[in-house]
């Protein structure tokens, strides 16, 4: 991110659809709508765009969301809304059914917004400023600030209260928790009730880049810039295994 570099890529014979000239510069992030009918992209050009899937080339672009003052770091589609995070320290909400009209800015972070989690009523966002913020989705009010990491905070993993697990899109509530990963080499488990760090998972030699938890929410997996994956007992923080073998950073985990 921030480089603006690009390469010409050879077209595969298996290519189904191509969104040409999508951005002026690199495409930093992408998200797919719940019904798979649209994708959103965020670029080095400070723009977020929403695209129709499986339409003729002339009808692909649905809307352009313009207003950030830095490159886009994260995008999510939620019903008729697009939410974006940016280098400019803010998140923004847009109405994609009304030509990408700007609705609301979530301001408070003191550095780049790295990632965010979105539910019906709330947002959780992470930042290079070492904090996570909890926002009211409708009003933009910052409800709580979570502090404790020593360096930039990146990936976030929402852990709904077990009574909520059967919901398709559970709302955040005071019994829910979440995990954050950081450039300080640690992952942390947080309580939403009091903005307190419940547990720290320390062991990686470099930044934690990705997180996931197995279905029963008993084992946490963390992937790192140190080229390893580690597993932990979520309830106690006990380290279980170290999976080594990659020769480069582990960018994504999926249980």
């Amino acid at each position: 991110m921030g480089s603006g570099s690009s390469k010409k890529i050879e077209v595969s014979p298996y290519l189904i659809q191509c969104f040409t000239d999508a951005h002026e510069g690199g495409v930093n992030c992408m998200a797919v709508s719940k019904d798979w009918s649209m994708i959103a992209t965020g670029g080095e050009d400070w723009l977020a765009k929403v695209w129709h899937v499986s339409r003729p080339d002339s009808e692909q672009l649905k809307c352009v969301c313009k207003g950030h003052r830095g490159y886009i770091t994260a995008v999510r589609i939620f019903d008729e809304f697009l939410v974006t995070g940016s280098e400019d320290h803010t998140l923004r909400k847009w109405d994609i059914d009304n030509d990408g009209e700007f609705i609301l800015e979530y301001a408070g972070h003191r550095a780049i917004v790295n990632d965010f989690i979105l539910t019906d009523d709330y947002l959780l966002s992470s930042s290079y400023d070492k904090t996570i913020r909890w926002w009211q989705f409708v009003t933009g009010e910052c409800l709580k600030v979570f502090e404790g990491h020593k360096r930039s905070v990146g990936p976030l993993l929402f852990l709904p209260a077990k009574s909520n697990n059967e919901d398709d899109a559970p709302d955040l509530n005071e019994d829910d928790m979440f995990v954050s990963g950081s450039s300080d080499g640690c992952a942390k488990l947080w309580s939403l009730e009091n903005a307190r760090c419940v547990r720290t998972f320390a062991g990686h030699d470099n930044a934690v880049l990705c997180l996931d938890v197995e279905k029963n929410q008993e084992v946490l997996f963390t992937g790192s810039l140190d080229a390893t994956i580690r597993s932990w007992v979520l309830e106690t923080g006990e380290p279980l295994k170290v999976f080594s073998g990659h020769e480069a950073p582990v960018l994504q985990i999926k249980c």
Side-chain angles (χ1 to χ4, degrees):
M1 281 183 206
S3 67
S5 63
S6 62
K7 272 185 193 181
K8 186 173 180 181
I9 301 174
E10 185 177 346
V11 176
S12 165
Y14 305 105
L15 179 68
I16 295 173
Q17 188 173 9
C18 183
F19 299 85
T20 57
D21 300 321
H23 289 273
E24 294 183 8
V27 178
N28 293 335
C29 48
M30 184 177 69
V32 182
S33 63
K34 188 175 180 180
D35 64 2
W36 298 89
S37 67
M38 294 179 291
I39 63 169
T41 57
E44 293 284 331
D45 54 8
W46 302 9
L47 300 177
K49 297 184 178 184
V50 180
W51 310 82
H52 291 290
V53 176
S54 301
R55 284 199 183 182
D57 291 352
S58 61
E59 301 175 12
Q60 286 178 340
L61 184 62
K62 178 176 176 64
C63 64
V64 177
C65 301
K66 181 179 181 180
H68 276 296
R69 300 170 296 279
Y71 59 79
I72 310 301
T73 57
V75 293
R76 303 283 189 280
I77 299 173
F78 188 74
D79 294 333
E80 72 271 29
F81 302 114
L82 175 71
V83 179
T84 54
S86 172
E87 177 200 19
D88 67 10
H89 309 179
T90 71
L91 300 100
R92 288 183 170 227
K93 180 166 65 173
W94 317 82
D95 184 348
I96 60 178
D97 283 345
N98 193 21
D99 201 28
E101 180 183 7
F102 168 69
I103 298 173
L104 184 67
E105 182 178 75
Y106 305 84
H109 280 298
R110 301 181 302 278
I112 296 170
V113 174
N114 290 325
D115 196 10
F116 63 88
I117 294 172
L118 175 61
T119 73
D120 282 342
D121 297 316
Y122 302 99
L123 282 171
L124 276 167
S125 60
S126 65
S127 171
Y128 194 80
D129 66 11
K130 309 176 190 178
T131 71
I132 303 107
R133 286 180 176 258
W134 186 19
W135 311 87
Q136 218 290 333
F137 183 62
V138 175
T139 67
E141 176 187 4
C142 183
L143 302 175
K144 292 178 182 177
V145 179
F146 300 80
E147 298 179 292
H149 279 295
K150 296 178 181 178
R151 299 186 68 181
S152 173
V153 186
L156 298 171
L157 176 66
F158 175 51
L159 299 177
K162 291 194 176 181
S163 60
N164 282 343
N165 276 349
E166 295 180 358
D167 293 345
D168 289 334
D171 294 345
L172 287 171
N173 64 57
E174 299 273 317
D175 296 322
D176 297 324
M177 294 186 175
F178 70 93
V179 183
S180 58
S182 170
S183 295
D184 62 15
C186 296
K188 290 181 179 287
L189 176 68
W190 303 86
S191 166
L192 284 169
E193 183 175 1
N194 52 26
R196 180 176 65 89
C197 177
V198 176
R199 198 159 293 112
T200 298
F201 306 87
H204 282 292
D205 295 327
N206 214 318
V208 175
L209 302 179
C210 52
L211 308 160
D212 206 355
V213 66
E214 52 80 43
K215 185 177 180 180
N216 294 325
Q217 295 190 10
E218 294 176 357
V219 179
L220 172 70
F221 294 88
T222 55
S224 172
L225 191 64
D226 67 11
T228 70
I229 301 161
R230 289 177 178 257
S231 61
W232 318 79
V233 178
L234 190 63
E235 182 69 23
T236 65
E238 175 189 357
L240 292 175
K241 295 180 181 179
V242 179
F243 303 86
S244 57
H246 283 293
E247 298 180 357
V250 179
L251 302 180
Q252 187 158 1
I253 297 174
K254 193 67 176 177
C255 292

